Amino acid sequence: MSAARVGVVTFPGTLDDQDAARAVRHAGAEPVPLWHADTDLRGVDAVFLPGGFSYGDYLRCGAISRFAPLMGELVPAARAGLPVLGTCNGFQILCEAHLLPGALVKNAGLHYICRDQRLRIESTATAWTSAYTRGQEVVIPIKHGEGRYVADAETLAALESGGRVVVRYLGNPNGSLNDIAGVSNEAGNVVGLMPHPEHALEDLTGGPGTDGLGFFTSLLKTMVNA
Amino acid sequence: MARAIVDVMLKPEILDPQGQAIARALPRLGFSGVSAVRQGKRFEIELDGPADEAALADIRKMAETLLANPVIEDFTVRVEGETAE
Amino acid sequence: MARAIVDVMLKPEILDPQGQAIARALPRLGFSGVSAVRQGKRFEIELDGPADEAALADIRKMAETLLANPVIEDFTVRVEGETAE
Amino acid sequence: MIDSVGRAAETPQEPQPYAELGMKDDEYQRVRDILGRRPTSSELAIYSVMWSEHCSYKSSKVHLRQFGTKAPKSEALLVGMGENAGVVDIGDGWAATFKIESHNHPSYVEPHQGAATGVGGIVRDIMSMGARPVAVMDSLRFGAADAPDTRRVLPGVVEGISSYGNCLGLPNIGGEVVFDPCYIGNPLVNALCVGLLRKDQIKLATAPGPGNQVVLFGALTGPDGIGGASVLASATFEDESQAKRPSVQVGDPFMEKLLIECCLELFAADVVVGIQDLGAAGVACATTELAAKGTGGMDVRLDLVPLRDPRLRPEEILMSESQERMMAVVTPADIPAFMEICRKWDIPATVIGEVTDTGRLVMTWHGETIVDIEPGTAADEGPVYQRPYAEPAGQHALNADDPSRLARPGDLGATLLRLLGSPNLASKEWVTSQYDRYVRGNTVLAQPADAGVLRIGEVMPGASETVRGIALATDGNGRYARLDPYCGAQLALAESYRNVAVTGARPLAVTNCLNFGSPEDPEVMWQFAEAVRGLADACRALGVPVTGGNVSFYNQTGSAAINPTPVVGVLGVLDDVRRRVPHGFTGPDERVLLLGETTAEFGGSEWAHVEHGHLGGLPPRFQPEVERALATVLTEAAARGLLTGSHDLSDGGLAVALAESCLAHGVGATVSLPPGDDPFVALFSESASRALVTVRPESFDAFAALCGKHEVPCTTLGTTGGAALSIPGVLDIPVETLRTTHEGTLPALMA
Ligand SMILES: Nc1ncnc2c1ncn2[C@@H]1O[C@H](COP(=O)(O)OP(=O)(O)O)[C@@H](O)[C@H]1O
Ligand SMILES: [Mg+2]
């Protein structure tokens, strides 16, 4: 099988696209740059929406990006089962695009927070977490000013009962409801996370350790099994 | 040339830490008599044409899809000088 | 129990990157007829007592020292339901 | 009505508001002599900003020359002083460019925007060298930590740096936060940016080639920071200029991020002949400097400058300090490609002029000539002052007030905790957690390490692989410099140099930001002259050239100047970044070694400051040979993989270095002090040229031999491990106690 091709989307103001491409390479797949203004997904096998401040995060994080021409292609493809991971700003965009429920608002402490965060993997039934074990504790950096996950009670209940809370904070840094750090859609192909697994790939750089690699190796595992 | 105003506030059930921080700071600064503060956004939109029904419908659409996120926010649209609808 | 509203906007001569980003995005989203957008803040202040002159004077003071940054922002204070003063 | 050149010639007696623009009588007269007539109001705008202290360095120039005349020989230096930023060869075809700049006063007026635009400005300087900016640092000084105004200024400054730097996607890899009452009305915000580029891709601010087009691109020009110019416009003209002219500039980091990517694409497409960022003095400065360094002539149609506020007068356009703008010189053939790239990034770009060979900078406004000058007269031939200087009256008494008279403590453990929890030594996590230190994925070391370290291998698409890395540190100690500005500046360099060396990097080059009071005060001028002399001498002695920097004068309120505060940045290179030495104690059962020699040096120390509020005596000695030998040992040992951890000794001495080393990874240590030494002196003296390192027991002999070879004293203190910092008979403190003490202070102050 030839290497899986993972699209890495760049919006104006995207920052972590080079990190995202590196993560894809580290896992043994081929990163394919995707430009927000294009309408062509270039036949990729999966898509990674990296972090950053698309459109400066002006108005609301992700609010303007969700209207990008590329999103017009991505949304139906994701609904049809294309694996999509959004981290940080990518998560915010996925929520704004209604591919994931809920919203991300200003941290309860009001400040931007960059720190190495302890997390628990709650679901391994998604395209992006199958390489972990359920309940596994990992340390992955977070860095955001608007990462407090909110949703109405009904949505929260549905997420919890459907096993769609993918990652939870151990020591809630931002006031997220139910300590939620990441969620998936019903099918499990679309995952959004505030933490940055692409910054936890190597011992030399980024946060401590390599705990983030599993998100990307999971994808390859999923695709081989598919 | 008219101006429309869109006010966007977090829904009442969503925690507003900015408003709370202000409310908490007030007594320290010597202000009393305030029971709560909420912080939202205000957009001033300059129209090329008049603020007729068609323009306002457009702005309502804009508020709904772009300026506010209905999952967490409520909004009101009005033409400057009029009271909130 | 009354509610006062404080609207805070960047002074007209000050760059408003947020408003500009929105205005630039609108045509792409299919909205036409908008010549400019400015984004500001709106505060809803719940008072324990009535919104009498004393309370409003207090709120104006609060706006000046805490809610707005007079170096770059202007503000208006009004009681909900009334038009901007 | 427009003040054209023709009109100026006809109305020689028209009064002009040069004094309001900060020009002296003789300076104005010189402009008249140069032009052979009175300047137009636009020309006056240009000369007044170009000849300002900020742009012309008129008070500092005669001193700064020493950085060139005393510069050590360096094969690494590719571009030296005088350009937007210096460029250093770091090997394998790569070059690094870095510079530090102040944005002090704006950060006092409006902390958030002042600091944010400070970051924006220095980043554009780095872009204008043709580099990709890869990291930022910030060196900050505030008034007393518990002063009410500090609670206004500090959070705003930090938020400004955080929101702007984070949004640009530049990791923040280090800096300083220092409190001292002397900075209360004059906080210091010095921002550093470092960029990387291929050695053969250096760009310069020059406008050669008659016929080449002058393109202004980036944000629209608005009435930002032109308080002065409106004086000009309204003095000559009663009309339209009623609009408010803010002195505060607001930054748009999103625009700057697009500008970075756009510039890199322009460089890659090779469609740029010369480039200049627009900083202070905006279009006036960019056009005169580009023209002066090029073929010598330029025609500009000022009415083509795209405006945010259509009411702007030409004088105001010239002086506007609107952020996020750049100016490029482009061949006519490349203009379509240039514009296409700008369109892709949604960056407004406008041709506003053309390079000529007339030797003159000519500007028109709707057909009328409003500027016609020789650009060099504004850019290079500004006034130069030999300001008088004199040692401050109280200097002798200050130096005589030796800290040896201060009562020494009994309980050294309690003293350590008080120091560790004091605002200057407490954890800066409240600040640094607001900065993204990970973005771009190349951060090897950042806070709380002594220096920031970056991997450089993956910076540009298609870049050749290299295992090299760079290290950067900034340091400055205003108390030392107050006691002895000559030595204080040297110590700032020494500490920065040492901070780079403890990571295993070889120090290569220096940038500096000189923060002082008013140059018109002879006592301040003495401090300045001494500091520059000291820094230049120290750079020669350590073999690291100054590549650039910035001077910030007038940091004073009334007659009270800040402590002289030279802030020095050092850039070093790691031949193999995988060999970098981590910060502090990294694991148990390693030997803790102290390198260097300790004598009783308490002048300007943290101990004297925290425990006695005392500032007097003399700062620690600076011994360049010793400092150099230490750095040689550290870099050689790192390259050979002998070190498992390191930390330099500075503020608070050995005691604080030990505590911080424990806190780095939560690893305790049991140590004993060198026999015969006074424990108080051993723990709290701030003698320079010292460091702590850890080695595995089996590496000790090799390391000791290396120290012997370079004559660096090496003392075994003890062993790492356990959950406490223990010095039997002296102190025994759980690491958890160290942590709560260290980490609690700033959050409590800012709550
Ligand atoms: N303290 C200093 N040491 C060395 N060079 C300096 C110092 N201050 C300013 N310079 C140099 O003088 C030149 C002009 O400085 P500056 O006006 O800050 O540059 P810019 O116009 O790019 O903002 C630059 O090359 C700068 O590096
Ligand atoms: Mg410059």
Side-chain angles (χ1 to χ4, degrees), chain D residues 57 67 81-84 99 101 125 512 514 546 548-551:
Chain D
Y57 289 85
F67 292 145
M81 289 192 308
E83 289 295 332
N84 283 313
K99 185 176 171 188
E101 208 164 68
D125 265 325
N512 69 102
L514 304 173
V546 171
N550 171 243
V551 176

Side-chain angles (χ1 to χ4, degrees), chain A residues 113-117 140-143 171-173, chain D residues 429 437-438:
Chain A
I113 309 172
C114 175
R115 78 174 192 209
D116 302 332
Q117 176 68 43
I140 292 178
I142 56 166
K143 25 170 247 185
N172 191 333
Chain D
E429 170 119 14
R437 58 182 180 275
Y438 293 131

Side-chain angles (χ1 to χ4, degrees), chain D residues 149-180:
Chain D
D149 202 45
T150 300
R151 284 183 61 135
R152 171 186 75 95
V153 176
L154 186 149
V157 163
V158 171
E159 217 180 78
I161 294 170
S162 145
S163 67
Y164 204 100
N166 294 348
C167 188
L168 290 189
L170 294 178
N172 187 307
I173 59 168
E176 305 161 83
V177 181
V178 177
F179 301 94
D180 191 290

Side-chain angles (χ1 to χ4, degrees), chain B residues 59-80:
Chain B
I59 294 204
R60 245 174 252 122
K61 182 98 192 296
M62 193 187 298
E64 220 168 72
T65 53
L66 178 68
L67 302 181
N69 177 353
V71 176
I72 47 169
E73 293 166 327
D74 294 324
F75 67 88
T76 59
V77 175
R78 65 201 153 90
V79 176
E80 176 121 279

